[in-house]
Amino acid sequence: MLRHDAYLETLMTQTFSPSEAALSVFELAKRQPQFVLRFCIIFALGFMLTYALAGATGVGKAMQDYVALASGGRAPDPARVLEVLAPAATGFAIMLIFSIVTGAITSAMGLRKAVRDEDHGLYGLQLGKDELNMLLATMLFMAILVSVNFATSLIGGLITGGNPGFMFLAIIIGLIGVGFLGLRLGQFGVLTIASGQVTVRASWTQTKGHVWRFAGAYLLWIIIATIIGIIAQSLGALGASALAVKVGSGMPASLGEFLKPGWLFYSLVYGLATGLGNLGAICVGAYAWHQMSGNLPAPKTPI
């Protein structure tokens, strides 16, 4: 028998349409409007909990102080920035862990529908093998990117000898390399849910020769999602202002401030749009996987 990575590597034999992949979330919304709405609401609730954590752990206050510090028109003193953000270090760590865990749970929910057309559990949510696999795969994916970014920065610093101009160029090259690596390994979630096992390596093989297609698909969806996000953020800020709340740094300074109607309204509206953006990114990879494995009609004209 083939190992699951080897099995997955045999599936993608066709190409896919970047434009169709980028717009596939709207096709899902036509077929399964209740699921899309439910996903966005669940994601928004998690988003609101993140805002609550920001207020409760001091992250929101630190971010408001940082925005005030950086609003002088010039780069703030690094020591002053550290002084402002350091007290919220524990809060940042808590929010990061919370975001990774909830991200794995909601991603598993979306991928189960987009990849396997399954919608089980409590409103689609589960705490089972898929969620654990997604959490482990996400952590592995992030560890690889962080390690590569650290290594390229270190090597760049050694090669350039600390020269600011060359160091900046090395950082740009490193970011491009990390972005390329992210695209090559970006199918890890789709493949993990499709195989039922943690896998990141198989994405490297399956995206070979298709990097520009994936880049185009994600870029198109990012543009669409950004427009939707800007509209939602503007509407949320207007609604918050009507409810006597000014959204400055984008995070409440305390839990009590978050519980005001204005912040609740803003985080809900922005969370719904962010949920749609997240589901759209999930659908890009899932649609590409289906079309490349022959489960969907091949694109009429190669793009």
Side-chain angles (χ1 to χ4, degrees), residues 5 9 35 80 111 137 145 157 186 224 253 257 262 289:
D5 276 4
E9 289 167 6
F35 174 82
R80 184 75 181 101
L111 284 165
L145 294 190
I224 295 171
E257 184 176 345
W289 182 79

Side-chain angles (χ1 to χ4, degrees), residues 8 10 16 33 87 100 111 117-118 122 132-133 150 170 210 227 231 233 239 256 262-263 268:
L8 288 170
T10 66
F16 74 97
I100 292 174
L111 284 165
D117 196 22
E118 296 177 3
L122 181 63
L132 178 59
N133 287 344
F150 176 77
H210 302 285
I227 294 172
I231 294 173
Q233 196 171 23
W263 270 109
L268 175 62

Side-chain angles (χ1 to χ4, degrees), residues 102-153:
T102 55
I105 293 172
T106 53
S107 293
M109 173 188 175
L111 284 165
R112 261 194 303 272
K113 170 59 74 173
V115 174
R116 303 199 309 239
D117 196 22
E118 296 177 3
D119 187 11
H120 306 306
L122 181 63
Y123 300 109
L125 288 176
Q126 297 183 43
L127 288 175
K129 184 179 178 182
D130 284 339
E131 287 68 28
L132 178 59
N133 287 344
M134 273 301 299
L135 179 60
L136 294 175
T138 299
M139 293 175 66
L140 178 58
F141 174 74
M142 292 176 63
I144 291 172
L145 294 190
V146 170
S147 298
V148 170
N149 186 47
F150 176 77
T152 54
S153 298

Side-chain angles (χ1 to χ4, degrees), residues 49-222:
L49 285 175
T50 303
Y51 269 56
L53 278 175
T57 59
V59 171
K61 179 64 167 60
M63 290 305 299
Q64 288 192 6
D65 291 343
Y66 173 75
V67 169
L69 189 67
S71 62
R74 54 183 181 177
D77 178 37
R80 184 75 181 101
V81 171
L82 182 62
E83 181 184 343
V84 166
L85 298 181
T90 301
F92 280 114
I94 292 173
M95 286 185 63
L96 176 62
I97 294 171
F98 180 79
S99 297
I100 292 174
V101 172
T102 55
I105 293 172
T106 53
S107 293
M109 173 188 175
L111 284 165
R112 261 194 303 272
K113 170 59 74 173
V115 174
R116 303 199 309 239
D117 196 22
E118 296 177 3
D119 187 11
H120 306 306
L122 181 63
Y123 300 109
L125 288 176
Q126 297 183 43
L127 288 175
K129 184 179 178 182
D130 284 339
E131 287 68 28
L132 178 59
N133 287 344
M134 273 301 299
L135 179 60
L136 294 175
T138 299
M139 293 175 66
L140 178 58
F141 174 74
M142 292 176 63
I144 291 172
L145 294 190
V146 170
S147 298
V148 170
N149 186 47
F150 176 77
T152 54
S153 298
L154 181 62
I155 294 172
L158 292 174
I159 293 176
T160 61
N163 181 284
F166 288 115
M167 188 62 189
F168 177 75
L169 180 61
I171 291 173
I172 296 299
I173 294 173
L175 289 175
I176 293 174
V178 170
F180 174 81
L181 182 62
L183 286 171
R184 289 297 303 269
L185 300 180
Q187 284 290 84
F188 75 91
V190 172
L191 299 178
T192 292
I193 296 299
S195 67
Q197 299 186 55
V198 177
T199 179
V200 175
R201 187 180 68 87
S203 178
W204 180 267
T205 300
Q206 295 203 346
T207 56
K208 183 179 181 180
H210 302 285
V211 172
W212 287 113
R213 291 178 177 274
F214 277 103
Y218 281 115
L219 178 60
L220 178 56
W221 176 244
I222 288 172

